[in-house]
Amino acid sequence: MSNPQQLRYSKEHEWLSATEDGVATVGITEFAANALGDVVYADLPSVGDTVTAGETCGELESTKSVSDLYAPVTGEVVEANQDVVDDPSLVNSAPFEGGWLFKVRVAEEPGDLLSADEYTAFSAG
């Protein structure tokens, strides 16, 4: 399993792209997708919702369990991935590409996000 170097990661297993015009893309990691099993339902935050770093902002349901989705940053949701709502299996098949979850206009970014190498070590231990 290879975590893309250009992303940052939370200890709750979400990834965050670099901001482009203040907007970042959020998803869950391949490690989390594998741990969840086959994702069958995605409840994502809606456009206009304010999310707060470290707090629950949605959930993913799999054949194994239901897992809360945590916001890695604070900001306003500007887009939810309708493709994932329509086909939640994208979270498993393409967690770093088409399986992204939402985009957020970042107001505040916590200082505890991990690099790819730090996240790999964290998730291995």
Side-chain angles (χ1 to χ4, degrees), residues 1-65:
M1 171 176 12
S2 177
N3 296 303
Q5 291 292 319
Q6 73 275 18
L7 302 177
R8 284 162 296 146
Y9 301 85
S10 75
K11 290 184 177 178
E12 287 81 24
H13 307 286
E14 281 83 25
W15 58 262
L16 178 76
S17 71
T19 58
E20 186 174 314
D21 296 330
V23 175
T25 303
V26 175
I28 68 165
T29 64
E30 185 177 3
F31 175 86
N34 289 338
L36 272 172
D38 295 333
V39 176
V40 296
Y41 175 76
D43 178 24
L44 304 179
S46 299
V47 171
D49 285 355
T50 298
V51 296
T52 302
E55 293 188 8
T56 303
C57 63
E59 68 180 26
L60 297 173
E61 184 177 328
S62 73
T63 54
K64 291 181 180 180
S65 67

Side-chain angles (χ1 to χ4, degrees), residues 23 32 35 37 42 44 49 52 58 61 65-66 73 75 78 80-81 91 93 99 114:
V23 175
L44 304 179
D49 285 355
T52 302
E61 184 177 328
S65 67
V66 175
V73 294
V78 297
N81 189 347
V91 171
S93 64
L114 306 173

Side-chain angles (χ1 to χ4, degrees), residues 85-125:
V85 172
D86 295 340
D87 181 7
S89 70
L90 287 171
V91 171
N92 299 105
S93 64
F96 296 114
E97 295 88 25
W100 61 273
L101 302 176
F102 63 95
K103 294 184 180 185
V104 59
R105 183 168 308 287
V106 178
E108 185 179 330
E109 189 174 305
D112 62 351
L113 293 175
L114 306 173
S115 70
D117 292 338
E118 291 168 334
Y119 178 76
T120 299
F122 170 77
S123 59

